[in-house]
Amino acid sequence: EVHLVESGGGLVQPGGSLRLSCAASGFTFSSYWMHWVRQAPGKGLMWVSRLNTDGSDTMYADSVKGRFTISRDNAKNTVYLQMNSLRVEDTAVYYCATGDVGKRAFDMWGQGTMVTVSS
Amino acid sequence: DIVMTQSPDSLAVSLGERATINCKSSQSVLYRSNNKNYLSWYQKKPGQPPKVLIYWASTRESGVPDRFSGSGSGTDFTLTISSLQAEDVAVYYCLQHYSLPLTFGGGTKVEIK
């Protein structure tokens, strides 16, 4: 059975840092591009970042570019999101997601981890 | 960036009646080399991750009830729930995978009338 399990969320002050992790199981992790998607309280879904299979190609939403870094460890079946210079507006539930390239859709999601940026 | 505009923002439908959600993209998401629309639909319930319902604009994900259907091409798309059930109360989002940054529609909240 496929599982994506996020961890690392919590309360942090503005300007602080957090590293989110997403541990995968039940599928060949190293063959899948990985994404992070977030949802701020009361708001819609927003794509944050994506990473290719070997970690050499990254892309970010403009609102997080230069502050967030996505990476992966295929030996540990884990994708990370290093979040620096956090802002109040980064407060959200963060989901890792992926999917069959043949679908070009996200058919696998984690349960999400809450990040709260507040003083 | 491709802007995805959903309408309406919310709708209330009686049980057993049809619900129709629209999604319009600011540019075509039809990839001509394979004739596929890079558009998917998601159902989001509170406290749960999104769940894919439709991909390639009209292909139903395995296990999704056949009352859910997707249609459209190019820039205009529709998600239809043919006979609304109580468990369909949720927020629905479209997503374009045509180009980065990936962009979601603003969401449509579906409730029971």
Side-chain angles (χ1 to χ4, degrees):
Chain A
E1 187 179 356
V2 169
H3 281 293
L4 292 172
V5 180
E6 301 94 339
S7 61
L11 174 63
V12 62
Q13 291 188 337
S17 297
L18 278 178
R19 188 176 84 153
L20 306 183
S21 299
C22 170
S25 61
F27 64 102
T28 307
F29 176 77
S30 59
S31 298
Y32 284 74
W33 294 45
M34 297 300 297
H35 298 251
W36 287 94
V37 173
R38 73 186 185 186
Q39 184 174 35
K43 303 295 186 181
L45 299 169
M46 189 193 103
W47 174 82
V48 174
S49 180
R50 76 105 170 100
L51 181 63
N52 69 341
T53 55
D54 67 5
S56 62
D57 183 8
T58 61
M59 290 293 290
Y60 302 93
D62 283 347
S63 59
V64 308
K65 200 173 297 181
R67 301 187 299 121
F68 290 12
T69 303
I70 189 172
S71 62
R72 67 193 297 159
D73 184 337
N74 285 341
K76 295 183 177 180
N77 288 350
T78 301
V79 62
Y80 305 98
L81 187 68
Q82 177 67 43
M83 304 186 296
N84 298 332
S85 303
L86 282 161
R87 304 168 180 169
V88 171
E89 55 265 34
D90 295 319
T91 295
V93 176
Y94 285 75
Y95 298 97
C96 61
T98 188
D100 188 331
V101 67
K103 296 178 183 177
R104 280 297 182 104
F106 295 140
D107 60 0
M108 293 184 271
W109 294 79
Q111 286 298 312
T113 187
M114 183 70 205
V115 172
T116 302
V117 185
S118 174
S119 54
Chain B
D1 298 3
I2 298 177
V3 177
M4 307 299 289
T5 303
Q6 280 184 237
S7 62
D9 292 337
S10 64
L11 73 162
V13 176
S14 300
L15 289 172
E17 296 301 305
R18 178 184 301 260
T20 301
I21 301 168
N22 301 301
C23 175
K24 187 175 183 65
S25 57
S26 60
Q27 63 188 75
S28 176
V29 298
L30 173 64
Y31 199 50
R32 296 209 177 272
S33 65
N34 59 10
N35 200 37
K36 289 185 181 294
N37 288 282
Y38 283 43
L39 187 286
S40 50
W41 288 96
Y42 298 82
Q43 177 190 66
K44 178 71 170 69
K45 296 180 178 180
Q48 297 182 21
K51 173 188 174 183
V52 64
L53 301 172
I54 303 287
Y55 58 93
W56 297 137
S58 60
T59 302
R60 193 179 305 111
E61 171 72 341
S62 175
V64 172
D66 61 7
R67 62 180 180 274
F68 290 93
S69 64
S71 62
S73 184
T75 61
D76 291 278
F77 302 91
T78 300
L79 175 70
T80 302
I81 310 172
S82 60
S83 176
L84 191 75
Q85 304 300 303
E87 61 265 33
D88 301 335
V89 170
V91 181
Y92 293 84
Y93 294 91
C94 58
L95 168 66
Q96 67 81 17
H97 270 253
Y98 183 85
S99 67
L100 291 172
L102 305 187
T103 44
F104 289 90
T108 296
K109 186 175 185 179
V110 174
E111 300 173 307
I112 305 295
K113 184 187 292 184

